[in-house]
Amino acid sequence: MNKHSKAYRKYMATGIATAMVATIAAPVVSPLTVSADASQFSDVDENAWYYDNVNYLVDKGVLGGYTDGTLRPLGTLTRAEAAKMIADSLEIGTDANATLNFTDTKNGVWYTAPVAALVERGILNGFPDGSFRPNATVTRAEFAVMVKAAYMLEAEEGTGNNTTFPDVVAGSWYEGAVETLVNLGIVGGRTNGTFDPGATVLRAESAAFLHRTEVPSERIGYEEEDEELSLGNVEVATSNTGVTNVSVDVAGATAGLGATIEIFANGDTDGEAAYSESVPVEAGVAAADFSQLPLGDYVARVTVGEDEEALTAEAEFTVEALEIEEIVGTTTTVDAEAEEQFLTFSVNGEALPIAYLEDMGYEFEFLASNDDVVADARTGELDAASLQAGESFDYQVRVTGENDFELTSDVTTVSVESFATSIVSIDGADILFNDDVNSESGVISTSDDNISLADIAVEYRDGETTRLAADHVEGGERVFEFSSSDQTVALIDEDGVITPISDGDVTFTITAGGVDYEVEATVTSEEREATEAEVSKDEIGLVINGTDNFALTVRDQFGDAVKGFAESIEAVENSDEETILTAAYDPADGTDREGKVVVDVSADSANEGTGTLEIVNEAGDVLASLDVTVDADLEVASRSIELVNPSRDVEVDVNPFNADNNTLELVLNEYNESGLKIGGHNFNAEGRYTIESSNEDVLEVGGTPAADSTDGRFTVEAVAEGTATVQVKEGSIVRYETEVTVADTTPALAGASFVDGLDITSTEALAVEDIIDSLTFSGERGEAEVTYAVSDDNELVISLSDDNETVSVATISAFSVNVSDAGFYTDEDGDIFLGDAELESGFAAGTEGSIVLRLNRSGANNALITTVVTVDVN
């Protein structure tokens, strides 16, 4: 079946356009309310056969619901309602001043205008007695006649449906309309094979008539018509930003059809294409963009399809020099330490390479307010040695071309920053109370001690991230500024220390380098108290004389950790009031800054039974409880690899400054038939198990435990970041295993800065403390401090060190062409200086020149920061 009947296409092209010429009056009010979605009506089932039909008209605003929230899809349709539906769906212009001359109609009511419009067009007529009967119901035959007339439908010969109905009277006034609508797939018959022309048309049926008429793909028996594949003319257009678009209309394209678009230089289509793109055919078009084609003549070839069925179309075109209408300097910030930086610009709103524009005959010159900063006026390359952090300069770009063309950009101001210390975003901050407890809830109590902002997460312009203390200093100045939105609620000083004043909400704003970050907080006078607890076990099951432990986490009423919770735990008794289990905190002073502590439990050596262990707060409220079972069955039924410390994750860390997490203690525990813990496996007694790592490059284990390992415990150690499986084997068979994650939080240098304006003007050497302004680190450094040492090459080695480990994080090298033997050295007191490394002293009087200092992260070849030290020794 055709997608659209010829008559319908003709009507949609001319009939509606003609109808819209009529005067459009203000909308009249009908008894129905208009909505946008049929599903909201209480009596419309989304699974009903008519749902899509009524939803279509509801969405168009043609079909509306009633004030009781119903649509009444199975209700009848009056002649007046039918007239309004058809007029609204066809968007026929109606005249608000129209009048009707029928004996039973009214003027100025909701149906007057649409009925008048349809009568005027011959779509509706009155009855011989002069009446219109607006409230009479419409039959299926009548509605078929209305639709055929309104949409000027015609049956299509040789196509469509040709079903006949035994109850359609031959030669009747409605026969032609029914046959046409059936032929076009707009209506069908009843399930019993009849059309039922005299039956009243339902509102749902009328919606189906109109929906199928207007949307041919919804018609009965609709089939998509296959269209023969064909190509239109190849269109080529080059924009004033150097983008050449090649496109062609593709008729009859099927899903997944692809095209190849090739560009041949100098019109030579026999050789290899200079440029080629494979693209999908989308929405009947194959198109591709080619950027910055050189000047010259070309042929664009578009091939759609493959092999023998492929179609090809070509077009010749010429790429000419683009016309520069606008040039704008686009560099606003440069790095004071980076090499090979260039000033940039846009042409006609697009960043285009200088070489491309030069090939078009244009020449460029970069003009600067400080000529020293521009090393190459043609390319805009900057002189790194002339860039000083904290300074700025202006520049313009001048372009010239043929026929005396000249255009100069407006002035652009460039800020010189140290990208390694220039903060571009603040991504988080903690509120600490009682020295080191994190207020995850954002609540601050007036009874809290030592409240402050801490661990401010920042990102530098060079992409490095780290966390800084609130009082962090760089260049002798504080990095952060703080403010409170309401000082009557809470104050905050220059160090980020918070003083709560009264109940209320407050916002603390952190500012650094023009970047703001807000921390929301709530101040309360309510004192904190332990109100909830979590335990790592659901129950405790032990054999007599057995031991176990569980992790306890305690939080307050705001959801924050409770530090120092150590309320005594009563011994657990059985039903005979005999003690079967005791518990104690490890460590004895209770929970840490995260509200966590390990609770060790021990079963009695003789008493058995069941009971309940309770964690109780100071007020006597039970925060958590565990069922306890103790019995005397010592026969092993199962084994499992478990954590010795249940508060730990199954994770280790290679970070040497996180020594507590370099290793992980595991235990092979044994359980009886009831699932009660007996204790650790006695490796010494049996000697049949070995312990291995699935990847020793990530995680190491000690193999078979030592001969005196009678409690099932063994240790694994981090080697490198990754995951590995710890396996307890009997021979080559894996009996028990668990996966361990190895992390690497080893600190690395995130940012650094030199002191500004370094110079040496006396015979005294420059102390390293006077050279380095600030160092910031990513990762976890623990208690490690920054230390300095001098290498055999007279480089300054920067390390992090604690009592046990030293990790190199960066080196500073000294370079000079006019100051001999410049470098770092250590004097007899162990202090480090920049001076004459050969003589291990300051420079001699009369020494003049400059020394370039370059800081590299350990293992990196590129400089993180550089600076110039001026030497002029009096």
Side-chain angles (χ1 to χ4, degrees):
M1 177 182 292
N2 291 332
K3 290 185 286 186
H4 299 279
S5 71
K6 295 176 183 177
Y8 180 73
R9 290 197 297 268
K10 177 181 178 183
Y11 177 76
M12 294 306 288
T14 61
I16 291 181
T18 302
M20 291 301 289
V21 174
T23 302
I24 300 177
V28 295
V29 179
S30 79
L32 310 178
T33 59
V34 176
S35 182
D37 186 353
S39 64
Q40 68 177 311
F41 297 112
S42 61
D43 58 346
V44 173
D45 183 354
E46 293 188 34
N47 297 314
W49 66 266
Y50 54 77
Y51 180 78
D52 290 341
N53 306 132
V54 297
N55 193 59
Y56 171 76
L57 292 187
V58 168
D59 186 57
K60 282 188 68 175
V62 172
L63 190 62
Y66 292 84
T67 54
D68 63 356
T70 63
L71 184 71
R72 305 178 192 175
L74 303 182
T76 57
L77 194 69
T78 67
R79 284 167 55 80
E81 291 171 338
K84 181 163 175 53
M85 280 183 66
I86 293 173
D88 287 351
S89 197
L90 279 173
E91 300 180 5
I92 293 176
T94 57
D95 183 357
N97 297 318
T99 58
L100 297 172
N101 297 319
F102 300 106
T103 59
D104 56 351
T105 57
K106 296 180 181 181
N107 292 323
V109 296
W110 62 270
Y111 63 76
T112 303
V115 170
L118 267 58
V119 169
E120 180 183 355
R121 288 161 175 77
I123 297 171
L124 285 179
N125 293 301
F127 291 90
D129 62 359
S131 65
F132 180 77
R133 305 177 191 173
N135 297 321
T137 54
V138 180
T139 66
R140 284 167 56 84
E142 289 172 333
F143 201 69
V145 172
M146 291 181 191
V147 172
K148 180 180 183 299
Y151 289 87
M152 295 185 287
L153 300 174
E154 298 176 8
E156 299 183 352
E157 296 182 3
T159 62
N161 304 308
N162 296 300
T163 305
T164 59
F165 299 101
D167 57 345
V168 173
V169 179
S172 61
W173 56 272
Y174 61 82
E175 180 189 24
V178 172
E179 288 182 350
T180 297
L181 268 60
V182 171
N183 171 268
L184 296 176
I186 294 172
V187 297
R190 302 295 196 192
T191 56
N192 62 3
T194 64
F195 181 74
D196 206 1
T200 301
V201 69
L202 303 179
R203 282 163 57 82
E205 291 175 328
S206 66
F209 276 54
L210 299 185
H211 186 200
R212 293 170 188 162
T213 299
E214 296 183 5
V215 185
S217 61
E218 297 295 326
R219 294 180 182 178
I220 300 168
Y222 170 82
E223 295 179 2
E224 186 72 43
E225 186 179 73
D226 292 333
E227 189 173 359
E228 185 178 353
L229 184 66
S230 63
L231 304 182
N233 295 327
V234 176
E235 302 289 341
V236 182
T238 300
S239 71
N240 69 346
T241 57
V243 177
T244 300
N245 176 266
V246 180
S247 65
V248 64
D249 290 336
V250 182
T254 55
L257 185 66
T260 301
I261 301 179
E262 300 169 292
I263 304 295
F264 296 89
N266 303 318
D268 181 12
T269 56
D270 294 330
E272 185 176 351
Y275 310 93
S276 179
E277 290 284 347
S278 295
V279 298
V281 177
E282 297 178 331
V285 176
D289 288 334
F290 299 88
S291 297
Q292 303 164 20
L293 297 180
L295 301 180
D297 297 326
Y298 297 89
V299 172
R301 175 187 292 167
V302 182
T303 303
V304 178
E306 298 178 354
D307 303 327
E308 297 178 356
E309 298 179 358
L311 298 180
T312 299
E314 296 180 352
E316 297 179 353
F317 68 97
T318 300
V319 174
E320 300 177 345
L322 60 85
E323 181 180 346
I324 297 181
E325 300 171 352
E326 178 190 51
I327 185 167
V328 177
T330 54
T331 300
T332 57
T333 308
V334 295
D335 189 355
E337 288 86 20
E339 302 284 345
E340 297 184 357
Q341 295 184 95
F342 294 82
L343 296 174
T344 58
F345 61 88
S346 66
V347 167
N348 301 337
E350 190 74 23
L352 299 175
I354 288 181
Y356 168 68
L357 295 168
E358 288 178 335
D359 288 343
M360 291 191 165
Y362 292 108
E363 295 181 358
F364 294 85
E365 181 182 8
F366 288 83
L367 313 173
S369 58
N370 179 358
D371 292 336
D372 291 340
V373 301
V374 179
D376 188 334
R378 185 187 70 84
T379 64
E381 183 175 6
L382 297 174
D383 180 11
S386 300
L387 300 175
Q388 295 295 323
E391 297 183 353
S392 64
F393 64 90
D394 295 336
Y395 81 99
Q396 292 177 293
V397 186
R398 177 187 296 153
V399 55
T400 57
E402 297 178 356
N403 301 320
D404 298 326
F405 173 80
E406 181 176 326
L407 185 63
T408 303
S409 70
D410 291 338
V411 170
T412 299
T413 300
V414 180
S415 298
V416 183
E417 299 180 4
S418 171
F419 283 12
T421 58
S422 178
I423 294 174
V424 295
S425 70
I426 303 175
D427 303 315
D430 294 336
I431 299 176
L432 300 186
F433 65 93
N434 296 348
D435 292 324
D436 58 359
V437 181
N438 184 12
S439 175
E440 297 179 14
S441 67
V443 173
I444 300 170
S445 172
T446 53
S447 61
D448 290 339
D449 296 324
N450 301 330
I451 312 165
S452 66
L453 292 180
D455 293 332
I456 302 173
V458 301
E459 179 180 357
Y460 293 109
R461 193 175 293 279
D462 65 358
E464 291 294 324
T465 59
T466 189
R467 284 185 172 269
L468 302 176
D471 60 355
H472 185 72
V473 174
E474 290 179 4
E477 297 182 359
R478 297 179 185 275
V479 171
F480 302 110
E481 295 179 357
F482 306 97
S483 63
S484 168
S485 65
D486 190 341
Q487 297 187 45
T488 66
V489 174
L491 301 174
I492 186 167
D493 69 11
E494 62 181 3
D495 293 325
V497 175
I498 298 170
T499 303
I501 304 296
S502 62
D503 289 11
D505 294 328
V506 65
T507 300
F508 301 113
T509 300
I510 307 171
T511 302
V515 177
D516 291 339
Y517 182 81
E518 293 183 346
V519 180
E520 306 288 342
T522 299
V523 175
T524 179
S525 55
E526 183 180 353
E527 292 191 12
R528 297 180 185 270
E529 57 183 70
T531 58
E532 58 183 86
E534 296 178 3
V535 290
S536 61
K537 291 180 180 289
D538 296 327
E539 58 186 2
I540 298 174
L542 286 172
V543 297
I544 55 174
N545 222 25
T547 61
D548 200 357
N549 57 22
F550 62 88
L552 171 67
T553 302
V554 182
R555 296 191 177 275
D556 62 26
Q557 68 269 40
F558 310 118
D560 295 324
V562 175
K563 179 182 176 181
F565 180 90
E567 297 296 324
S568 61
I569 304 174
E570 296 290 336
V572 179
E573 297 181 345
N574 60 18
S575 58
D576 295 329
E577 298 185 352
E578 299 170 327
T579 296
I580 59 173
L581 184 134
T582 57
Y585 296 107
D586 181 17
D589 56 358
T591 52
D592 60 15
R593 64 184 297 265
E594 296 180 343
K596 295 181 178 181
V597 68
V598 173
V599 179
D600 294 328
V601 295
S602 302
D604 189 76
S605 60
N607 297 327
E608 303 176 44
T610 60
T612 302
L613 183 149
E614 295 180 337
I615 305 297
V616 181
N617 66 9
E618 186 178 5
D621 302 322
V622 177
L623 306 184
S625 62
L626 296 93
D627 292 333
V628 176
T629 302
V630 177
D631 74 15
D633 180 8
L634 299 178
E635 185 175 350
V636 176
S638 63
R639 296 183 178 90
S640 174
I641 300 176
E642 298 170 354
L643 291 166
V644 170
N645 183 347
S647 66
R648 287 278 305 269
D649 294 324
V650 189
E651 180 178 293
V652 285
D653 190 350
V654 297
N655 182 356
F657 303 121
N658 190 10
D660 291 342
N661 287 326
N662 291 161
T663 60
L664 183 67
E665 195 172 12
L666 300 173
V667 59
L668 182 64
N669 280 324
E670 297 178 330
Y671 294 85
N672 65 18
E673 187 67 30
S674 300
L676 306 186
K677 180 181 172 183
I678 298 171
H681 173 71
N682 188 340
F683 287 98
N684 182 38
E686 296 192 12
R688 56 179 172 146
Y689 292 133
T690 59
I691 307 174
E692 299 178 9
S693 168
S694 65
N695 188 345
E696 293 186 350
D697 292 332
V698 173
L699 187 75
E700 288 183 347
V701 293
T704 304
D708 59 352
S709 177
T710 60
D711 59 2
R713 297 188 179 194
F714 58 94
T715 301
V716 296
E717 183 174 0
V719 177
E721 189 173 14
T723 57
T725 301
V726 178
Q727 301 169 331
V728 175
K729 290 184 175 182
E730 184 176 10
S732 59
I733 297 176
V734 177
R735 293 297 190 186
Y736 316 102
E737 63 181 1
T738 190
E739 186 176 83
V740 178
T741 300
V742 181
D744 186 358
T745 65
T746 304
L749 188 65
S753 64
F754 289 117
V755 173
D756 291 337
L758 289 172
D759 57 19
I760 299 176
T761 58
S762 72
T763 55
E764 293 185 3
L766 193 61
V768 68
E769 291 80 7
D770 297 326
I771 297 173
I772 298 174
D773 176 34
S774 68
L775 300 169
T776 56
F777 300 90
S778 60
E780 299 178 9
R781 54 188 286 193
E783 301 298 322
E785 300 290 339
V786 176
T787 59
Y788 303 106
V790 177
S791 72
D792 293 340
D793 297 326
N794 299 114
E795 295 179 327
L796 179 68
V797 179
I798 304 173
S799 301
L800 286 172
S801 303
D802 63 9
D803 292 339
N804 301 308
E805 298 288 342
T806 296
V807 175
S808 173
V809 295
T811 58
I812 298 179
S813 305
F815 303 90
S816 181
V817 295
N818 46 30
V819 179
S820 299
D821 299 322
F824 292 92
Y825 67 90
T826 305
D827 71 2
E828 58 186 13
D829 295 325
D831 296 324
I832 298 175
F833 296 89
L834 172 65
D836 188 323
E838 181 68 22
L839 298 177
E840 296 187 350
S841 68
F843 296 111
T847 303
E848 295 183 4
S850 60
I851 304 170
V852 177
L853 299 182
R854 182 186 70 192
L855 185 149
N856 292 61
R857 293 189 180 96
S858 295
N861 294 322
N862 60 308
L864 176 63
I865 57 172
T866 60
T867 194
V868 177
V869 181
T870 301
V871 180
D872 187 4
V873 181
N874 297 323

